[in-house]
Amino acid sequence: MGYMARHGTARARPAELVPGTASVITARLDYWPEAARDAVDALSRPDLGYVSRYATGRDYHKVMRSRLQALADRITREIGEFPHRVFTDSAPVMEVALAARAGIGWRGKHTLLLTREAGSTFFLGEIYTGLALAPDAPAQAHCGTCTKCLAACPTGAIVAPYELDARLCISYLTIEHKGPIPESLRPLVGNRIYG
């Protein structure tokens, strides 16, 4: 996860990442398939390997990127050429903070963006642009005193509200971690093999 430190303040300052950025258009794309088997049922079956639902469809980087580029193309047809760059988990973008500021949802105590209708089962993407656009109002947070996400985290990676220890996160352990999963975490990871 050293890539986060390598990009320093550019992560929090869009114009440092893409010079000339005046606004960020942010969007979400839901991924939970309606016909998907219940996750709780699949996770309770040690004879099955569980792959996170977001990884069971087409590569979301390509899907989201093409949809955001189609939006940029539509804007170009309406107003003419404009400076922009599309991102979908492809650069050191603070996408949750941007989406929260844009009113798409609020940061949950599990550190992800949260909405009432989709939980946190969606992808985020951005168009950094030189257009000076009027900002949307941020969404109001609705977590209140709820701590269900902290209690539900199998490995205890959500160590406090709004604080995640990525070294304990199943997504990190099954995708980015180099080497074997520590033995003490294996029973907690269960049959999750990706994501």
Side-chain angles (χ1 to χ4, degrees):
M1 301 190 86
Y3 65 90
M4 294 176 122
R6 281 194 301 273
H7 296 286
T9 60
R11 296 184 67 237
R13 299 177 184 153
E16 285 186 22
L17 185 63
V18 179
T21 296
S23 301
V24 176
I25 300 169
T26 182
R28 89 172 208 221
L29 176 65
D30 296 358
Y31 66 74
W32 192 269
E34 288 184 31
R37 184 177 181 179
D38 180 52
V40 174
D41 177 52
L43 287 167
S44 68
R45 301 262 320 264
D47 58 317
L48 298 176
Y50 184 81
V51 174
S52 182
R53 292 296 185 246
Y54 81 83
T56 60
R58 292 181 53 216
D59 182 343
Y60 75 90
H61 299 91
K62 293 177 182 176
V63 173
M64 187 70 159
R65 185 176 193 77
S66 69
R67 290 188 182 188
L68 287 170
Q69 188 57 56
L71 174 59
D73 294 343
R74 184 174 176 188
I75 294 170
T76 298
R77 286 192 300 275
E78 293 293 323
I79 67 168
E81 291 294 327
F82 70 102
H84 70 277
R85 186 167 171 195
V86 173
F87 294 106
T88 302
D89 197 20
S90 56
V93 172
M94 295 184 77
E95 58 191 12
V96 173
L98 289 169
R101 287 185 63 186
I104 291 179
W106 70 93
R107 183 180 293 272
K109 291 178 183 176
H110 57 1
T111 74
L112 302 174
L113 196 73
L114 202 53
T115 69
R116 287 184 179 266
E117 64 278 358
S120 54
T121 57
F122 50 82
F123 304 117
L124 295 171
E126 302 77 30
I127 302 174
Y128 278 39
T129 178
L131 299 174
L133 303 172
D136 290 322
Q140 182 180 2
H142 295 281
C143 290
T145 60
C146 179
T147 57
K148 287 183 180 179
C149 61
L150 280 81
C153 182
T155 58
I158 307 168
V159 295
Y162 313 105
E163 187 178 334
L164 178 82
D165 183 342
R167 298 166 302 177
L168 300 175
C169 182
I170 292 172
S171 182
Y172 167 75
L173 291 168
T174 60
I175 299 171
E176 296 183 50
H177 178 64
K178 305 298 183 216
I181 294 172
E183 286 187 34
S184 62
L185 295 175
R186 292 177 193 173
L188 305 174
V189 171
N191 65 344
R192 297 168 182 89
I193 59 173
Y194 188 88

